[in-house]
Amino acid sequence: MKKKYEPRGGYDFDAKRLYRSRVWTWFDAFSREVPGGKGATAVLLTGVGGEEAKTAKRHGFRDVVAVNYNPAIAATVKRRLPWVRTRGVSLSRALWSLPPRSVGFLSIDFCGNLGHITMPELGLCGAAPSLMDRGFVAINLLRGRETADVK
């Protein structure tokens, strides 16, 4: 089994909840600009709790793809949230597997530092044919586990 990189208590804590709320409120506000609106595919990274997918659903997004490179975590999220499509692969591989111009919303919450793994992965994500020309992307880098207020 692949190593699980997430905090011991998961991603359900104040700073992360605030971050997710801001991202999906922003996506919500601009959803009319995207072909298909909230029916366009929304792709996001997920932890075992599926908190990001739950937030997307609360904001009315109907086609959610939750990605975790660990297939066991993706399967757990699928069991807990049967309305979510899951992929147990890298984010770039998931994006490249989706139909052309189907992804209107992409939330990339890498929660890590820039480096030799993250930068090429971002490049592959950005080149994926599944991204819409008029879609929206939110990226969280350089750690996301701070306990201080999100500014």
Side-chain angles (χ1 to χ4, degrees):
M1 184 165 123
K2 291 184 179 181
K3 187 173 180 183
K4 179 176 124 177
Y5 290 99
E6 69 179 66
R8 185 161 292 196
Y11 291 111
D12 191 20
F13 53 90
D14 289 344
K16 252 332 169 191
R17 280 191 295 274
L18 180 59
Y19 167 77
R20 283 191 298 269
S21 175
R22 287 180 175 171
V23 166
W24 291 96
T25 297
W26 182 73
F27 282 163
D28 192 359
F30 289 98
S31 63
R32 289 182 296 277
E33 303 293 324
V34 174
K38 292 182 184 181
T41 301
V43 177
L44 51 90
L45 291 171
T46 188
V48 73
E51 299 304 325
E52 183 105 7
K54 293 174 195 174
T55 304
K57 184 177 183 183
R58 277 194 301 274
H59 281 272
F61 292 88
R62 298 180 297 277
D63 183 19
V64 176
V65 178
V67 179
N68 190 301
Y69 68 94
N70 185 329
I73 291 176
T76 299
V77 171
K78 182 64 177 174
R79 277 192 307 278
R80 291 178 178 173
L81 308 173
W83 50 269
V84 166
R85 291 191 286 156
T86 59
R87 299 287 191 276
V89 296
S90 69
L91 181 60
S92 61
R93 183 172 276 183
L95 287 169
W96 280 80
S97 75
L98 295 169
R101 293 176 300 288
S102 62
V103 177
F105 306 93
L106 174 59
S107 177
I108 303 175
D109 190 358
F110 276 148
C111 300
N113 297 322
L114 299 174
H116 69 284
I117 295 172
T118 309
M119 294 309 294
E121 178 68 5
L122 279 173
L124 289 168
C125 289
S130 62
L131 298 177
M132 288 184 178
D133 294 335
R134 295 189 59 190
F136 290 89
V137 177
I139 301 175
N140 183 22
L141 293 170
L142 303 174
R143 310 260 318 144
R145 300 179 182 142
E146 295 81 11
T147 57
D149 289 338
V150 177
K151 306 243 186 250

